[in-house]
Amino acid sequence: LTARVLDGKAIASSILETVHVRVAALRRRGVVPGLAFVVVGSSEPTELYVARLTKLGKRVEIDVLVRALPADTTVEQLEQEVSTINADASVDGIVIQMPLPEGLAVARLSSVLDARKDVDGITIESAGRLYQGLPTHAPSTALAMVRILASSGIEVRGKHAVIVGRSNVVGHPLAELLMRADATTTITHSKSGDLSGYTRQADILALAVGRPALIKGEMIKPGAVVLDAGINVTPEGVVGDSDFEGCVALASAITPVPGGVGPVTNAVLLSSVVESASQRPD
Ligand code: NDP
């Protein structure tokens, strides 16, 4: 058995096509969807990411604005900046680039960032809405992993989904989304102990850890679906949290790294911007 390799680039392209069609319809009504990035300090991965999204934005005709703030920005200044962008009617989505420098408490952004514009679902309000099953923007990576399953025709209902990683941006919201899609979910983390005891039970194994090749082939159940959000820069290049060669031989389907969850995450983010633009108050 060799797993079906789930082509994130193809799934992303198809999402972006739909996004583009929706943008065109909005533009005909005079609504130009806008996405703003707030970047505090600078780092190469952030610059690459923002440049990538700016390019994708152009492709689907979403305006992308980047507000670069110095690394020594205070919480008050950040809140003020977000508040100003939030008040800008031409902006439908605001992404505050993570990680923020230490000391800039994200939680306080809930009071200055509208849930409609919180397209990456980082505020307490968005998280609360997600956990109460109310309409909201879920964090893009978690949403992307669910979108990959849906577009690949992989049934979630009744399956046991095991998630490795419990962060607020990926693992935890993913567990919520999978549970709402009627999976039985288990969340594991660095203190779980016998990790393979859990991963071997997974029909769907979702990885959001940040440890290269942590999950070996012998740690998965034959026929499992492996979703790998990990992005690990190694001397051999960018790799995921799964040992791809080991897992591809046993899984029924697997996302590669790169070219799996990453491109779909970008497309899903732009999709959330269009969704927000379509809800712009008159
Ligand atoms: P975090 O560092 O916030 O969380 C990592 C999680 O993995 C934690 O819950 C941690 O446990 C757990 N963990 C760490 N080591 C182990 C271990 N040995 N066994 C089991 N669990 C472990 O990372 P993120 O959630 O932000 O990101 C995870 C990965 O996903 C990273 O590689 C990141 O680059 C990537 N990523 C990819 C995106 C994409 O678009 N494709 C977007 C965002 C992230 P504990 O809580 O106990 O510390």
Side-chain angles (χ1 to χ4, degrees), residues 23-39:
V23 172
L26 285 166
R27 280 179 171 260
R28 281 196 293 277
R29 280 175 30 205
V31 175
V32 178
L35 167 64
F37 284 97
V38 178
V39 180

Side-chain angles (χ1 to χ4, degrees), residues 49 98 120 140-142 144-145 163-173 187-193 195 199 207-212 214-215 219 228-233 239-241 257 260-266:
Y49 172 70
M98 301 293 163
D120 234 349
S140 308
T141 307
M145 293 165 94
I163 297 125
V164 190
R166 58 176 162 181
S167 74
N168 287 335
V169 284
V170 195
H172 197 177
I187 306 183
T188 64
H189 45 76
S190 69
K191 313 293 184 294
S192 290
L195 188 61
T199 58
L207 310 174
V209 188
R211 301 276 181 279
L214 174 73
I215 304 299
M219 293 171 73
D228 190 346
I231 302 174
N232 306 293
V233 181
V239 301
D241 293 334
V257 178
V261 175
V264 182
T265 298
N266 297 340

